[in-house]
Amino acid sequence: LLLTLLVPAHAGDDPVLDAVVAEVERSAELRLPDNTPPHHVIARARSGWAGYANARMGALTWTSLSPVEDLAVEVRAGTPDFDSSGLGTHWLDTGFSRAGLPDVPTVRAVREVVWRELDEQYKAAVENLGRKTGAKDQLKLDDDREGNWQANIEPVTSITRRELIMPDVATLEAQVRALSARMRSQGLQDGNVSISSWDGHYYVITSDGTRIVQPSRSTTITMRVEIRADDDEVLGLTDVIAVADGDPMPSDAALAARVDLLMATAQAWAAAEPLDAPWYGPVLLEGEAAADFAEDSLSQEISGTPEPAEWQRWTQKARPEPVDYAEPGTRLLPRGWTVTDDPQRSLGHACCLAFDAEGAPSQPVRVIEDGVVVAHLMSRTPNEHFSETNGHARSTRDNNRSMARPSHVVVEPARAVSKAALWRTARKQAKAQGLDRVLVVRDRSGLAFWRTLDGDEIPVRGFDSDELDARAARGMTVAGPSSTHMMGQSTMYTVPDMLIANVAVVPDEPSPEPRTRRVSPLAGK
């Protein structure tokens, strides 16, 4: 063992904070023979309560109330110019790990867990540094390239606590039962509702002196239905409602209306005619569909943390990381369009934090100017173009270093028009191409509409809007009103409705075999 007996610590107002700080400070004593101590250590923790309930078609299937105490550590061996990060895979110990903390977080109990994780991950980081040194030629690393880590940021101290509220599981159970019961006798193949509620504190402690404690409270309601069409195609449709800290919970009537809308959309999808041939023409993306297209087109392009190179253990070789971000100067949008990511815009939502996962203050970044990439969202891991963090690091779930990710992305067109003016432009484009209709997509359900030049709408299905070519964004001619949408639980997008002049939409491949329908022996009796 690299550390000897634990030194008793006085428990203050926050045993998790006291324990993690003590062990991170003592990580400076970690040292293997012929090696230096870690050049940087980060420990992140969550401490609080989580309640969960799930029901299917009115029947309660799962419920729980439990303390949530977990830990993530990042240990970097070497130097900021050349450290142990950037090489590995999720199954390879590289200095990053996750672990649970004791349900009763006393100082001594927490310190034992943190000590064990830091001890093990320091040794793993030293081993990975050796692999990386040996694979330097394979990775084509030069001595004068940008370093692996930005060391020169000011430490932050921001400690805010509040009294925790334990989730009321009985209320959650009643809500999921009532909401999922509405899904019975609606022609659905399956339907369930789950609600998870969390209240606790989030910690970021670093070896350079950062001490952050932030309260965190959220509720997530997930409603999912599954329906089968007459041609045996199956649609699974999900609606997620994320209630941020300070936001009021939707009323029971409002939640019931969302369930009814979800079912109506699924039923309309099942009744719609499938797309029977490729479509080449104007596509109008409205609301959530515009946000989904922007997310698919931009999120990876503007996130600047390089992917870690893969270490292939069976060949003892390294495969260099792919470059997923767009090079500065790349045109992604039409002239006059701008994109800004602002983590401060929606504080309290899961997308936005005052400080990122590496302890850096978050800040707004204009990533696209006049349609061209001018900056990246950055963590403290540099890339070949940008070397400084702008507070966008988010922890990952695959035992790897933090990565830069979007928070609240705001897409602003050069000029926005009304919905009526947007439709008039779409009609003109359809006529100019000899077409009698426009394809209108409003959400991610797989249900769209043919809108004839007279304004009538005909439901259509059988394609995936996620497959729209991101390069089509450069062909947008006009934009409509803007709206804000939470994409999953981690990113928010404020985007205008978008009219793409000409894009190819290809029908989905049909299922290879019709699914066997089971008929109850009691049917008809």
Side-chain angles (χ1 to χ4, degrees), residues 10 17 61 64 98 117 121 144 163 166 182 206 221 264 282 308 355 374 391 440 459 463 466 469 476 483 494:
H10 171 68
L17 177 63
T61 59
S64 67
R98 290 181 172 274
E117 291 301 311
Q121 294 313 311
D144 59 351
E163 195 72 27
M166 189 179 299
R182 301 180 71 87
T206 73
I221 305 163
F355 304 96
V374 296
V440 182
F463 68 94
D466 289 343
D469 191 340
M476 286 184 293
S483 55
T494 296

Side-chain angles (χ1 to χ4, degrees), residues 179 182 250-260:
L179 291 172
R182 301 180 71 87
S251 66
D252 290 343
L255 291 175
R258 290 284 285 263
V259 171
D260 293 346

Side-chain angles (χ1 to χ4, degrees), residues 111-159:
R111 287 191 69 169
E112 288 185 4
V113 175
V114 181
W115 161 73
R116 182 182 65 243
E117 291 301 311
L118 293 180
D119 181 274
E120 291 178 354
Q121 294 313 311
Y122 170 62
K123 287 181 275 192
V126 169
E127 292 175 359
N128 208 49
L129 181 62
R131 282 190 289 265
K132 186 175 175 181
T133 301
K136 188 173 182 180
D137 290 340
Q138 300 171 29
L139 297 172
K140 298 179 174 59
L141 300 179
D142 299 322
D143 291 335
D144 59 351
R145 78 198 188 294
E146 296 289 352
N148 292 115
W149 182 250
Q150 181 195 351
N152 59 333
I153 73 168
E154 292 295 323
V156 171
T157 299
S158 176
I159 298 177

Side-chain angles (χ1 to χ4, degrees), residues 51-111:
Y52 179 81
N54 179 273
R56 172 167 286 140
M57 297 291 193
L60 191 66
T61 59
W62 182 260
T63 181
S64 67
L65 174 65
S66 62
V68 174
E69 309 288 342
D70 56 33
L71 171 76
V73 301
E74 296 187 8
V75 180
R76 295 170 178 267
T79 68
D81 293 331
F82 187 85
D83 76 7
S84 53
S85 68
L87 175 66
T89 58
H90 66 277
W91 46 260
L92 185 68
D93 286 336
T94 57
F96 311 109
S97 72
R98 290 181 172 274
L101 292 176
D103 287 349
V104 180
T106 64
V107 171
R108 181 180 180 87
V110 173
R111 287 191 69 169

Side-chain angles (χ1 to χ4, degrees), residues 279-285 289-290 292-294 296-298 301 330-335 337 371 411 429 433 439 441 464-479 497-506:
W279 164 255
Y280 302 96
V283 174
L284 182 56
L285 301 173
D292 192 43
F293 180 66
D296 289 343
S297 304
L298 300 176
E301 304 285 353
T330 302
R331 177 167 296 282
L332 297 180
L333 295 173
R335 293 186 182 278
W337 286 57
V411 180
Q429 291 180 353
Q433 298 176 46
L439 184 64
V441 187
D464 187 351
S465 59
D466 289 343
E467 297 299 322
L468 291 177
D469 191 340
R471 292 172 296 181
R474 287 169 281 185
M476 286 184 293
T477 54
V478 66
D497 292 349
M498 302 177 185
L499 174 61
I500 303 176
N502 195 302
V503 65
V505 179
V506 180

Side-chain angles (χ1 to χ4, degrees), residues 371-453:
V372 173
V373 175
V374 296
H376 290 158
L377 307 179
M378 296 299 298
S379 64
R380 292 175 69 174
T381 299
N383 64 28
E384 60 183 320
H385 304 290
F386 304 103
S387 60
E388 296 185 357
T389 181
N390 46 41
H392 282 79
R394 298 290 182 268
S395 60
T396 62
R397 291 288 178 184
D398 57 357
N399 285 358
N400 214 307
R401 63 188 180 187
S402 299
M403 306 285 285
R405 292 287 183 263
S407 298
H408 188 154
V409 178
V410 181
V411 180
E412 297 178 285
R415 182 175 67 92
V417 301
S418 66
K419 281 188 175 291
L422 189 64
W423 168 237
R424 287 195 295 269
T425 303
R427 290 179 73 248
K428 290 179 182 178
Q429 291 180 353
K431 284 183 177 180
Q433 298 176 46
L435 302 170
D436 64 353
R437 62 187 64 187
V438 173
L439 184 64
V440 182
V441 187
R442 297 194 173 106
D443 54 38
R444 292 170 285 175
S445 66
L447 176 68
F449 300 89
W450 295 121
R451 185 181 292 177
T452 67
L453 300 189

